[in-house]
Amino acid sequence: MSRPAQRRAAAVRHRTLTDVASAADVSPSTASRALRDSPLVREATRRRVHAAARRLGYEPNRLARSLRTRSSSLIGVVVPDLGVGFYARSVKGAQDIFERGGYQVLVMNTEREPAREAAALRTLLAHRVDGMLVATSGGFITPPGIPVVFFDNLVDGAGVARANREGMALLVDHLLEHGRRRIAYVGAPPLLTSGIERLDGFRLAVARQDLDVPAEYVQLGDEVWSPESGADATRALLALEAPPTALVTASDTLALGAMKAIRLAGMRVPEDVAIVSFDDPFFGDLLDPPMTALARAERELGEFAASLLLHTLESGPDGPVPEVRLPVRLIVRRSCGCG
Amino acid sequence: MSRPAQRRAAAVRHRTLTDVASAADVSPSTASRALRDSPLVREATRRRVHAAARRLGYEPNRLARSLRTRSSSLIGVVVPDLGVGFYARSVKGAQDIFERGGYQVLVMNTEREPAREAAALRTLLAHRVDGMLVATSGGFITPPGIPVVFFDNLVDGAGVARANREGMALLVDHLLEHGRRRIAYVGAPPLLTSGIERLDGFRLAVARQDLDVPAEYVQLGDEVWSPESGADATRALLALEAPPTALVTASDTLALGAMKAIRLAGMRVPEDVAIVSFDDPFFGDLLDPPMTALARAERELGEFAASLLLHTLESGPDGPVPEVRLPVRLIVRRSCGCG
DNA sequence: CTGAAAGCGCTTACAG
DNA sequence: CTGAAAGCGCTTACAG
């Protein structure tokens, strides 16, 4: 951990409660109560203090308040990559809820490295966050002793996530309605619950329909679910002797990579190969062809997880919150062969 | 400002420096010095203290440290909308730099509402951030008395932004190379520098080329630069008696809206109407046709702005930093008529 | 209704 | 090299 070099003193000295108190001619105790609108202080006093505070441009020091009250009003949010739309919008949804509850948010990126995730955890603990929202990349080792809500990936069966298996079934079943039976899977390594459950969901769905899916029809890309790995997987599939006529991709990024690979191979979507995607790309309806995918629910995911944490924070844990599933919904566009 | 309701005490009591000190059988003063690896403490003592800290799982309380040192090691970052890829990735670039410098980041969304921006400013001040990075939406009123670096939009001629006028010239000139002369502008209201400079850049570029651009060829959408407003503007342009044969859009979102409107009107890009975009959509090369646009530089923008702030923080302001421009570069794909 | 006092958990002159 | 003391800016029993 590098420490910042020698720092200069702050340019301005902030006004303190004592400043306000003397300006209003009361004790700091009274000033404090007045500013928090305690019923203990006389109306006239209350007003005088507020006026003084406004006049001085007083902004209470949250650090001091937090130290004293042992509650930082800070929530830590840990995500793999804020540059990924899914996480950015989840965070935003969560943040809206937290701010409405009077909490501020400290966001940490882990770049999907478990070591950085562990470091992020310690940093947040050092800031004495009141709780955490975590989309883990696998580095979440120590139970921090404060409320934690996982989202996107479950940990020890707890957290908020989408119904991955049901989603996969929707996608597979829809392709079957189009009569496609050579269906391949373009996914990611089954390291965390989203990867595991989507792969598992695919397998369950095809088995239920008595589809014969050869082993080489299941292609797993890299751990960051990159478009490039989706393209590579697709290239491998197209090179097969009996290439698939439809792809189910485990994410929007993989779908975009797959689409690009198909186009570069001189083939057409959906005529030659149909594609359906688990996540809806942000511009899914502007792609050519528009992508059939499960509806996005990042915002809801973030909001739901945040509400859950907020609830725990304010009324205490009322029983375990093991597992919450957000329903999935299919958006039918053109890449599947419809329209 | 709502205050959170009654909160429960933290589940665990964190270990304190005093805990570590007694475990290592030294005074808190010595423990503090030992943990910060002060040369003042004997090696044996230093090690004993570190061992005790590790054994106890001690994590120093940054709140207390900040209060004492009057430096929070916190940076406030204010953006219009974290859900917009441009801002999400700018923030990420900035955050990387800050964390490397030992700072943590408090991100605030303003939803492009000046009032929320002002509120965000106060919140950050209350947290005693050491500095701020601000992509303003127009609500930045009070000079906070700490170092502030603006990005994306300049304020009072200061900040880090792309070379908007030069970018517009690149786009217009490229369309002219294709022989298109009925060029229209799909933009946003000129409220902040990016909107102002892009519109101005467009006007300068067409004037320089002696193009005749009727007033109705300049269409300004809503303040959030939404795809919908881009689509509306495009619809209006296509309905003209002499519709344009090429569009310059002031952002990727506007470009996507424009593309959709053209497609819905039953026309083709670029055959009927060419499009070039100021920002490169994240999946610009996967669109149909792939979009010709200025290269994205969010990451660089964030990193550059962060470095600038860090520099000011660590070595003090060495002269004013009025205006920094990031160069623009055209990525030629197909929507312009190339290929 | 108001104030003096203690204390949250650190850091850092000051004294030895 | 080490420790006792003061203090960062608040809040909150406690006493009046």
Side-chain angles (χ1 to χ4, degrees):
Chain A
M1 288 292 124
S2 70
R3 215 160 359 168
Q6 177 77 28
R7 298 211 187 125
R8 320 197 75 235
V12 284
R13 189 171 227 73
H14 287 97
R15 320 312 301 243
T16 71
L17 187 61
T18 308
D19 294 336
V20 174
S22 33
D25 215 41
V26 292
S27 74
S29 326
T30 299
S32 174
R33 291 192 195 97
L35 288 175
R36 335 193 85 255
D37 293 329
S38 156
L40 288 177
V41 357
R42 195 152 43 109
E43 177 59 17
T45 313
R46 201 186 67 75
R47 254 185 260 173
R48 198 147 35 88
V49 173
H50 273 281
R54 203 167 316 114
R55 184 151 30 86
L56 295 178
Y58 172 69
E59 193 65 56
N61 186 330
R62 305 270 294 209
L63 266 30
R65 172 169 208 282
S66 296
L67 183 61
R68 177 57 231 238
T69 61
R70 303 162 142 287
S71 156
S72 64
S73 299
L74 238 35
I75 300 287
V77 176
V78 179
V79 292
D81 185 352
L82 199 59
V84 169
F86 176 82
Y87 294 113
R89 288 184 287 272
S90 300
V91 168
K92 195 188 154 186
Q95 185 164 24
D96 274 4
I97 300 291
F98 287 132
E99 289 185 0
R100 215 167 297 160
Y103 290 84
Q104 251 48 61
V105 168
L106 226 35
V107 191
M108 307 289 292
N109 260 300
T110 65
E111 302 296 332
R112 304 184 194 258
E113 295 168 26
R116 289 189 66 162
E117 184 169 320
L121 173 68
R122 303 196 64 212
T123 300
L124 292 175
L125 250 23
H127 281 278
R128 297 298 187 264
V129 294
D130 290 339
M132 290 191 199
L133 221 59
V134 179
T136 189
S137 296
F140 203 84
I141 329 160
T142 339
I146 55 167
V148 176
V149 170
F150 294 97
F151 73 104
D152 190 34
N153 281 304
L154 305 182
V155 172
D156 297 332
V160 184
R162 283 166 294 170
N164 289 307
R165 291 191 181 83
E166 289 74 358
M168 273 297 157
L170 282 179
L171 296 171
V172 168
D173 291 354
H174 185 73
L175 287 174
L176 281 164
E177 286 173 22
H178 280 285
R180 310 265 174 161
R181 298 191 60 84
R182 278 152 61 187
I183 302 180
Y185 180 76
V186 174
L191 301 172
L192 300 167
T193 58
S194 51
I196 293 170
E197 295 176 357
R198 287 179 205 175
L199 174 55
D200 189 44
F202 174 77
R203 291 205 154 114
L204 288 173
V206 294
R208 191 165 345 125
Q209 304 283 357
D210 288 323
L211 269 196
D212 178 40
V213 173
E216 61 271 26
Y217 269 25
V218 173
Q219 291 281 338
L220 306 180
D222 58 27
E223 341 47 71
V224 305
W225 309 54
S226 72
E228 292 72 29
S229 80
D232 290 345
T234 303
R235 247 189 304 280
L237 288 166
L238 296 180
L240 255 29
E241 273 190 36
T245 54
L247 305 183
V248 176
T249 67
S251 79
D252 53 352
T253 48
L254 294 169
L256 291 165
M259 206 164 197
K260 190 167 192 174
I262 293 171
R263 177 174 299 163
L264 287 177
M267 305 180 84
R268 289 159 310 158
V269 178
E271 292 81 354
D272 301 313
V273 187
I275 301 184
V276 293
S277 167
F278 191 93
D279 287 315
D280 187 18
F282 195 49
F283 302 123
D285 58 339
L286 289 160
L287 292 170
D288 177 51
M291 183 76 71
T292 292
L294 299 183
R296 275 182 288 124
E298 308 106 316
R299 209 191 156 72
E300 289 72 12
L301 195 62
E303 288 180 350
F304 198 98
S307 301
L308 221 56
L309 182 55
L310 223 51
H311 180 78
T312 306
L313 248 25
E314 302 197 338
S315 44
D318 47 8
V321 187
E323 184 180 326
V324 179
R325 293 292 175 168
L326 261 43
V328 287
R329 184 171 59 81
L330 185 68
I331 301 181
V332 175
R333 287 196 279 245
R334 311 269 305 274
S335 63
C336 54
C338 277
Chain B
M1 287 294 126
S2 71
R3 216 162 354 168
Q6 178 75 30
R7 297 209 188 125
R8 319 194 79 235
V12 285
R13 189 170 226 73
H14 287 97
R15 320 312 302 242
T16 70
L17 187 62
T18 308
D19 294 335
V20 175
S22 31
D25 213 43
V26 292
S27 74
S29 325
T30 299
S32 173
R33 291 191 195 97
L35 289 175
R36 336 193 85 254
D37 294 327
S38 157
L40 289 178
V41 356
R42 197 153 41 110
E43 178 59 17
T45 313
R46 200 185 67 75
R47 256 185 258 173
R48 198 147 34 88
V49 174
H50 273 282
R54 204 167 317 113
R55 185 152 28 88
L56 295 178
Y58 172 68
E59 193 64 56
N61 186 330
R62 307 269 296 207
L63 266 30
R65 173 169 208 280
S66 297
L67 183 60
R68 175 59 231 241
T69 62
R70 305 162 142 286
S71 157
S72 64
S73 299
L74 239 36
I75 300 287
V77 176
V78 180
V79 292
D81 185 351
L82 200 58
V84 170
F86 176 82
Y87 293 113
R89 287 184 288 272
S90 300
V91 168
K92 194 188 156 188
Q95 186 164 20
D96 275 3
I97 299 291
F98 287 132
E99 289 183 2
R100 212 167 298 160
Y103 290 84
Q104 252 48 60
V105 168
L106 224 38
V107 190
M108 306 291 291
N109 261 301
T110 66
E111 302 297 329
R112 304 185 193 257
E113 294 167 25
R116 288 189 67 161
E117 184 169 320
L121 174 67
R122 302 195 65 212
T123 300
L124 292 175
L125 251 22
H127 282 278
R128 297 300 187 262
V129 294
D130 290 339
M132 290 191 198
L133 220 59
V134 179
T136 190
S137 295
F140 203 85
I141 329 161
T142 339
I146 55 168
V148 176
V149 170
F150 294 97
F151 73 103
D152 191 35
N153 282 305
L154 306 181
V155 172
D156 296 333
V160 184
R162 283 165 294 170
N164 289 306
R165 290 190 182 83
E166 287 75 358
M168 273 296 156
L170 283 179
L171 296 171
V172 168
D173 292 356
H174 184 74
L175 286 174
L176 281 164
E177 286 172 22
H178 281 285
R180 310 267 173 159
R181 299 190 60 83
R182 278 153 61 188
I183 303 179
Y185 179 76
V186 175
L191 301 172
L192 300 168
T193 60
S194 52
I196 293 170
E197 294 176 358
R198 289 180 203 173
L199 175 55
D200 190 43
F202 174 78
R203 291 204 154 115
L204 287 173
V206 294
R208 190 163 348 122
Q209 305 282 359
D210 289 324
L211 270 196
D212 178 41
V213 174
E216 61 272 25
Y217 268 24
V218 173
Q219 291 282 338
L220 306 181
D222 57 28
E223 336 54 66
V224 304
W225 307 54
S226 73
E228 293 71 30
S229 80
D232 290 345
T234 303
R235 247 190 303 282
L237 288 166
L238 297 180
L240 255 29
E241 274 189 36
T245 55
L247 304 184
V248 175
T249 66
S251 79
D252 53 353
T253 47
L254 294 169
L256 291 165
M259 207 164 196
K260 189 166 193 176
I262 293 171
R263 177 174 299 163
L264 287 177
M267 305 179 85
R268 289 160 309 159
V269 178
E271 291 81 354
D272 300 314
V273 187
I275 301 185
V276 293
S277 167
F278 191 93
D279 287 315
D280 187 17
F282 194 49
F283 301 123
D285 57 341
L286 290 161
L287 292 170
D288 177 53
M291 183 76 71
T292 293
L294 299 183
R296 274 182 289 124
E298 308 106 317
R299 210 190 155 74
E300 290 72 12
L301 194 62
E303 288 179 351
F304 198 99
S307 302
L308 220 58
L309 182 56
L310 223 50
H311 180 79
T312 307
L313 248 26
E314 301 196 338
S315 45
D318 48 8
V321 187
E323 185 179 325
V324 179
R325 291 294 175 167
L326 262 42
V328 287
R329 183 172 60 80
L330 186 68
I331 300 181
V332 175
R333 287 194 280 244
R334 310 270 307 273
S335 64
C336 54
C338 278

